[in-house]
Amino acid sequence: MGCAPSIHISDSRVVYHSGKESDDSNSPHQTNTVLSQQSNSVPGLFIKSSNTSSSTYKAAVTEVQFGPMRLHQDQLQVLLVFAKEDSQSNGFCSACEKAGFKYNIAKTPESALESFLDKHHEIIIIDHRQSRCFDAEALCRSIRATKPSENTVIIAVVRRQSDRDETSIMPLISAGFTRRYVENPNVMACYNELIQLEYGEVRAQFKLRACNSLFTTLEKSQEAIEISNEDHKIQYVNPAFESMMGYQKDELYGKDLIEVPINEKKSDFLDSINSCIKTGKEWEGVYNAKNKNGDNIQQNVKIIPVFGHRGKIRHYVSISRPCNDNNKVEKQCERVQAESQTDIQSCRHKDRRKGSLDVRSTTSRGSDGSSQRRHSSMARIHSMTIEAPITKVINIINAAQENSPMPVAEALDRVLEILRTTELYSPQLGTKDEDPHTNDLVGGLMTDGLRRLSGNEYILSAKQVHPSSGHLISSLSLTDIPPRIAQAMENEEDWEFDIFELEAATHKRPLVYLGLKMFARFGVCSFLNCSEVTLRSWLHIIESNYHSSNAYHNSTHSADVLHATAYFLCKERVKQSLDQIDEVAALIAATVHDVDHPGRTNSFLCNAGSELAILYNDTAVLESHHAALAFQLTTRDDKCNIFKNMERNEYRTLRQAIIDMVLATEMTKHFEHVNKFVNSINKPLAALEENGGNISDDESVKNILTSPENRILIKRMLIKCADISNPCRALEQCIEWAGRISEEYFAQTDEEKRQGLPVVMPVFDRNTCSIPKSQISFVDYFITDMFDAWDAFADLPNLMQHMDNNFKYWKSLDERQLKSLRPPPE
């Protein structure tokens, strides 16, 4: 079922700073400073504010826990409506300063109403004592007639009366007042009143405002949601429920479940699962329901008990969606048969490296000629260990064809079972105990958390920097780069280029500098028809939206991926395959591929019910966000819009290529991309080499390399290899990257435990994790086969040598039972 909604509520306010707090909390307010009297636009309105520097003031933003939601409440704003300044108004002014609240003073009903419509104050205090100056009750009614007042607390200041003259409060309640305050100018009395309001009525109204956001989420949900009370009477259904079942809300509200045909079975379910629900557990199952037209609809339904007053179940929340239709099986079978000829793989290896430490010797990697190396790489491609479900399907069909009808029928049943998954290219792990590090990496990187859902929620505060912000260096250009930075980039065309030296030289802003040099080398400005000033502004805004607080996914990682991308683009086989538009798309995609990354995995965001996970339906959440935000940042301001001078059709082609490459970095499709690359490009090329010897100029090779479909596969493989090329870097860089990604995963595990979320990668516990084991598992499962395939295509002996050296390094640490990045000093 879908993730629970997550609401992040905050109000954007302008903070005014003026005045000083009075030393005598009991003295009338005399130290407020009038910032401005807007006599032209709002007659009678004085804007005043408290100075929040005092230690007695609270933080401007208060964190409020509301069930599973964590809300952030801004500094409160108070509107004081007093026709005349007196000790009572001064008392409330001083109290506002003491409490750290912002406040405005209005002297007329007109200025009060206009001020409220502008500021949306949480508290309004109206002087009810001066009936000759204005009608307080009429003013309250006018404010209550506006929509923003729905969650506003309005207080009437009334005169102190004797017990004999005490009057009813009902006229004030009828006018819209929340409560009354009997006049008392003592600052502490006023302060106590404000604090009671803040923690009472104001906080209650704040939570109600959050409920509006929750119901907005429910209304927009694509899943059918129904809420009933403890007596099983329907209290709410969302539009998705109406659409699925054909009923309108008014036909259902207040009805008992057994009164509505669609629920006749669900009431039985509720009775039968009572023992489960009473323990606070959710129930999930499948049942058939009838819509208004009498049609049967098979649904997956989850029923969640909601405990309330006195610890009793007060509501049931039912989340439903129609079961997946299986009528596409025949089309899937046809597609399987069409792809089967190149997907047959002969055997399964339990050791994923196939003893590669012996096979990939220094001799085979270094001294052999390029063609001989590529031929041996092709041989390894034929025995790659990636066994996808599609391979199992083909093997079953082949075996069934040679047997009797009964085995054929049984095999076809198995085929259908496998085809029910959409991940036809993804391998399936064995037992959980096989390798916990590999298992956790797969669980954390290759799933969207859909099988690890929880009711907890996580508020992701996206750090989006607008084009006007950031520390832009307006004078920067290629001609005046500081000498130290220029020196750090001298060997940027070499694979041994040290990105960490550039990071230090640029004070953790390497992307702008490296981007300017890389883009100039590939003629990007000329291709886009944009100026270097525009490109510089664009690089600044993109880098500003990378989170420097992330240990791994920051702008240094982006610059590293950009460097690897440029390096791969210069390889001869790649240059034969791609046009300039492909090169430009690859460089831009590498630059933006992780922009605004929160330092958490997709699984974490889905489990936490983050806003991004809801927005992108738990599918390629971060990758979709990176691509979308990159174009939003680029096109919202002409100063950094590198695409503004492009012809429309060319822009659409470039945009599509960039999006496709960014989405290709999502790990859930890892084996699909690698398998397609091997089967569509490497194996056909290997067949041509075996048949024709040296065929570098052969037309058949050109057709394989330049077909539109294969160019897409090459670009995907290129950025994937660039994105996770750390194990193929020089040893010191490899160790540094390993430490950074481990720290980011440690931080995620810490956060998951703190938030009560499922821990998607339990081995990444900073107290127990073996970093060498995690690196060995990552290389075994993700890196080896992918770089074997990429090396066979692009000829990368230096990278493969680094990979082997680094693997031996991690193996040596693991054999010594060390868990750290480096061995202890001698």
Side-chain angles (χ1 to χ4, degrees):
M1 310 305 292
C3 289
S6 172
I7 310 300
H8 182 195
I9 301 175
S10 62
D11 296 320
S12 178
R13 305 263 197 255
V14 178
V15 180
Y16 300 90
H17 298 283
S18 177
K20 298 179 180 178
E21 183 184 19
S22 172
D23 293 332
D24 183 3
S25 62
N26 292 313
S27 66
H29 173 72
Q30 296 178 354
T31 57
N32 280 316
T33 301
V34 178
L35 296 183
S36 63
Q37 181 177 2
Q38 301 175 351
S39 55
N40 295 331
S41 59
V42 188
L45 173 63
F46 289 81
I47 302 175
K48 300 186 179 182
S49 175
S50 58
N51 184 339
T52 59
S53 63
S54 172
S55 61
T56 62
Y57 297 157
K58 300 186 300 299
V61 178
T62 303
E63 194 172 86
V64 179
Q65 193 73 28
F66 179 34
M69 294 178 63
R70 179 167 295 164
L71 310 177
H72 293 81
Q73 181 176 343
D74 284 353
Q75 186 179 17
L76 294 188
Q77 294 198 105
V78 181
L79 176 60
L80 304 175
V81 187
F82 287 83
K84 299 179 180 179
E85 182 175 351
D86 61 7
S87 60
Q88 184 63 73
S89 65
N90 288 334
F92 273 116
C93 289
S94 295
C96 286
E97 290 193 344
K98 185 176 182 64
F101 299 162
K102 293 180 287 186
Y103 64 95
N104 306 103
I105 300 178
K107 293 188 174 182
T108 66
E110 294 77 16
S111 61
L113 184 59
E114 188 162 351
S115 176
F116 171 70
L117 293 176
D118 179 40
K119 305 294 183 189
H120 297 175
H121 307 80
E122 286 83 9
I123 301 173
I124 302 177
I125 300 177
I126 302 177
D127 189 359
H128 194 275
R129 303 167 301 165
Q130 308 290 342
S131 58
R132 290 174 297 176
C133 299
F134 59 79
D135 188 340
E137 294 180 15
L139 172 58
C140 184
R141 290 191 185 93
S142 298
I143 294 174
R144 287 296 186 202
T146 65
K147 186 169 181 59
S149 70
E150 182 181 0
N151 301 112
T152 301
V153 177
I154 306 180
I155 307 300
V157 178
V158 300
R159 292 189 179 280
R160 183 177 298 277
Q161 296 176 330
S162 63
D163 293 343
R164 184 184 309 169
D165 297 330
E166 182 71 29
T167 59
S168 171
I169 198 174
M170 285 310 299
L172 297 178
I173 299 298
S174 300
F177 285 100
T178 307
R179 57 191 286 181
R180 71 178 184 178
Y181 176 81
V182 179
E183 62 179 344
N184 183 351
N186 182 278
V187 174
M188 186 55 68
C190 296
Y191 172 80
N192 289 338
E193 178 71 11
L194 291 176
I195 296 303
Q196 291 181 77
L197 289 174
E198 179 189 14
Y199 287 92
E201 285 89 344
V202 172
R203 185 155 293 184
Q205 292 297 329
F206 180 65
K207 292 178 179 180
L208 286 176
R209 196 160 67 236
C211 287
N212 293 334
S213 300
L214 286 173
F215 275 105
T216 300
T217 303
L218 294 178
E219 290 286 295
K220 299 298 183 182
S221 174
Q222 296 180 359
E223 293 178 316
I225 299 173
E226 171 198 277
I227 301 176
S228 61
N229 64 10
E230 65 268 38
D231 297 322
H232 305 319
K233 292 188 180 294
I234 301 172
Q235 296 188 316
Y236 170 83
V237 296
N238 69 342
F241 187 97
E242 292 179 292
S243 175
M244 181 174 71
M245 303 310 300
Y247 286 88
Q248 298 298 313
K249 288 182 171 69
D250 294 339
E251 299 178 81
L252 301 174
Y253 286 175
K255 298 288 184 67
D256 194 286
L257 289 175
I258 60 174
E259 298 178 39
V260 185
I262 60 172
N263 292 306
E264 58 187 358
K265 292 189 177 181
K266 191 186 296 182
S267 60
D268 297 334
F269 275 129
L270 288 174
D271 292 336
S272 66
I273 62 173
N274 240 352
S275 57
C276 174
I277 289 181
K278 284 181 179 178
T279 64
K281 296 179 181 178
E282 301 173 359
W283 181 89
E284 187 169 358
V286 178
Y287 75 99
N288 291 303
K290 289 185 178 180
N291 63 14
K292 189 173 182 180
N293 295 329
D295 300 326
N296 280 318
I297 299 179
Q298 190 179 47
Q299 298 174 335
N300 287 312
V301 61
K302 177 184 286 186
I303 302 174
I304 306 162
V306 181
F307 290 85
H309 185 52
R310 297 177 181 172
K312 294 183 178 180
I313 296 174
R314 298 300 181 182
H315 293 91
Y316 295 98
V317 177
S318 174
I319 306 173
S320 308
R321 63 167 54 162
C323 294
N324 291 331
D325 198 331
N326 295 325
N327 60 3
K328 298 181 180 179
V329 171
E330 293 181 4
K331 292 183 179 179
Q332 288 178 315
C333 290
E334 292 173 3
R335 187 171 72 250
V336 167
Q337 292 173 356
E339 296 176 351
S340 65
Q341 298 307 312
T342 55
D343 273 75
I344 297 176
Q345 297 172 354
S346 60
C347 59
R348 178 183 303 177
H349 297 273
K350 292 184 179 179
D351 181 0
R352 295 189 186 91
R353 286 193 63 89
K354 306 175 289 292
S356 56
L357 288 177
D358 297 326
V359 174
R360 293 189 186 89
S361 62
T362 305
T363 303
S364 65
R365 287 297 182 198
S367 59
D368 290 351
S370 174
S371 60
Q372 183 178 349
R373 283 191 59 266
R374 183 170 295 161
H375 182 77
S376 63
S377 295
M378 286 297 180
R380 290 195 304 275
I381 293 304
H382 284 288
S383 61
M384 282 178 63
T385 61
I386 304 171
E387 182 175 346
I390 187 67
T391 309
K392 297 179 181 179
V393 171
I394 296 166
N395 292 337
I396 291 170
I397 292 176
N398 289 338
Q401 288 174 342
E402 300 173 3
N403 291 305
S404 63
M406 182 58 70
V408 169
E410 293 175 353
L412 288 177
D413 287 340
R414 175 65 177 149
V415 168
L416 292 176
E417 184 179 333
I418 295 174
L419 282 176
R420 288 193 183 102
T421 176
T422 58
E423 303 301 326
L424 299 178
Y425 286 87
S426 298
Q428 297 174 332
L429 279 173
T431 63
K432 287 272 185 179
D433 298 331
E434 180 183 350
D435 181 355
H437 291 79
T438 300
N439 189 62
D440 281 5
L441 284 168
V442 173
L445 299 178
M446 294 191 63
T447 68
D448 288 323
L450 297 179
R451 290 177 290 279
R452 301 167 180 254
L453 291 179
S454 124
N456 296 288
E457 295 165 353
Y458 176 79
I459 305 305
L460 175 64
S461 301
K463 173 194 172 188
Q464 295 188 11
V465 181
H466 294 282
S468 59
S469 64
H471 304 289
L472 303 185
I473 309 171
S474 59
S475 61
L476 173 65
S477 72
L478 282 174
T479 58
D480 56 6
I481 289 178
R484 183 188 174 193
I485 297 175
Q487 183 179 358
M489 293 194 298
E490 278 183 352
N491 66 330
E492 50 87 17
E493 296 184 30
D494 190 348
W495 183 252
E496 307 306 314
F497 169 71
D498 189 351
I499 190 65
F500 300 115
E501 181 182 347
L502 180 61
E503 178 190 62
T506 59
H507 303 289
K508 296 186 177 182
R509 295 182 62 83
L511 187 57
V512 170
Y513 295 93
L514 188 64
L516 280 171
K517 190 167 185 181
M518 292 283 191
F519 281 45
R521 175 151 64 93
F522 283 86
V524 174
C525 285
S526 175
F527 178 84
L528 298 175
N529 192 24
C530 74
S531 65
E532 184 185 313
V533 174
T534 303
L535 174 62
R536 182 181 68 235
S537 299
W538 179 77
L539 287 167
H540 273 297
I541 193 60
I542 294 300
E543 182 156 45
S544 297
N545 276 269
Y546 276 92
H547 298 200
S548 59
S549 58
N550 290 344
Y552 183 88
H553 287 101
N554 48 43
S555 67
T556 303
H557 167 66
S558 173
D560 182 63
V561 175
L562 175 61
H563 171 262
T565 298
Y567 181 82
F568 294 152
L569 288 174
C570 293
K571 306 307 291 183
E572 189 60 35
R573 182 64 69 74
V574 177
K575 289 195 293 185
Q576 293 173 10
S577 309
L578 304 182
D579 296 332
Q580 188 176 13
I581 191 171
D582 299 312
E583 294 177 348
V584 173
L587 294 170
I588 294 174
T591 304
V592 306
H593 81 283
D594 272 333
V595 66
D596 196 39
H597 197 294
R600 300 292 183 265
T601 64
N602 280 333
S603 294
F604 178 95
L605 299 184
C606 293
N607 283 337
S610 74
E611 295 176 22
L612 288 180
I614 294 173
L615 177 63
Y616 294 110
N617 300 316
D618 296 341
T619 304
V621 175
L622 285 173
E623 293 73 23
S624 299
H625 176 60
H626 302 324
L629 180 63
F631 281 95
Q632 290 172 354
L633 294 172
T634 303
T635 58
R636 68 168 54 149
D637 188 348
D638 269 4
K639 293 179 181 178
C640 63
N641 188 353
I642 57 177
F643 307 127
K644 61 185 176 182
N645 295 325
M646 293 190 71
E647 189 270 329
R648 181 185 298 273
N649 289 335
E650 192 171 41
Y651 166 69
R652 288 178 63 84
T653 302
L654 179 66
R655 169 176 157 80
Q656 188 56 51
I658 294 169
I659 293 172
D660 185 81
M661 293 184 73
V662 173
L663 294 182
T665 62
E666 188 212 2
M667 293 302 291
T668 62
K669 302 289 186 182
H670 174 81
F671 291 102
E672 177 177 340
H673 294 318
V674 175
N675 261 306
K676 287 183 176 179
F677 180 83
V678 169
N679 290 317
S680 300
I681 299 173
N682 277 0
K683 287 185 178 180
L685 288 176
L688 288 176
E689 286 188 2
E690 291 170 1
N691 295 332
N694 184 8
I695 41 85
S696 57
D697 298 326
D698 195 286
E699 189 68 22
S700 300
V701 173
K702 183 178 180 181
N703 291 337
I704 293 173
L705 296 179
T706 60
S707 73
E709 297 82 4
N710 286 351
R711 281 166 55 201
I712 292 174
L713 297 179
I714 291 168
K715 286 183 290 184
R716 290 175 181 172
M717 193 71 166
L718 184 150
I719 197 168
K720 281 182 61 61
C721 290
D723 188 27
I724 53 177
S725 63
N726 306 153
C728 298
R729 292 286 186 180
L731 179 60
E732 282 305 312
Q733 294 186 48
C734 174
I735 294 173
E736 177 66 22
W737 284 123
R740 293 189 178 198
I741 192 62
S742 298
E743 176 55 39
E744 197 164 289
Y745 287 163
F746 293 159
Q748 174 170 312
T749 299
D750 294 342
E751 180 75 6
E752 287 164 336
K753 292 179 178 179
R754 194 161 51 246
Q755 296 289 336
L757 295 170
V759 178
V760 297
M761 293 186 286
V763 297
F764 283 98
D765 185 312
R766 65 175 69 250
N767 299 315
T768 59
C769 180
S770 167
I771 296 178
K773 282 188 184 296
S774 69
Q775 286 297 303
I776 291 168
S777 296
F778 182 67
V779 172
D780 269 343
Y781 201 78
F782 292 103
I783 298 298
T784 302
D785 288 332
M786 183 177 73
F787 271 93
D788 268 344
W790 188 235
D791 171 46
F793 177 80
D795 192 20
L796 304 162
N798 50 340
L799 275 71
M800 304 306 287
Q801 185 63 59
H802 280 315
M803 184 177 73
D804 284 341
N805 292 342
N806 296 337
F807 189 85
K808 291 175 183 176
Y809 172 81
W810 298 121
K811 270 287 190 183
S812 67
L813 293 182
D814 185 48
E815 288 168 357
R816 296 168 61 184
Q817 297 183 342
L818 299 175
K819 297 183 177 181
S820 57
L821 288 168
R822 291 181 171 86
E826 294 296 337

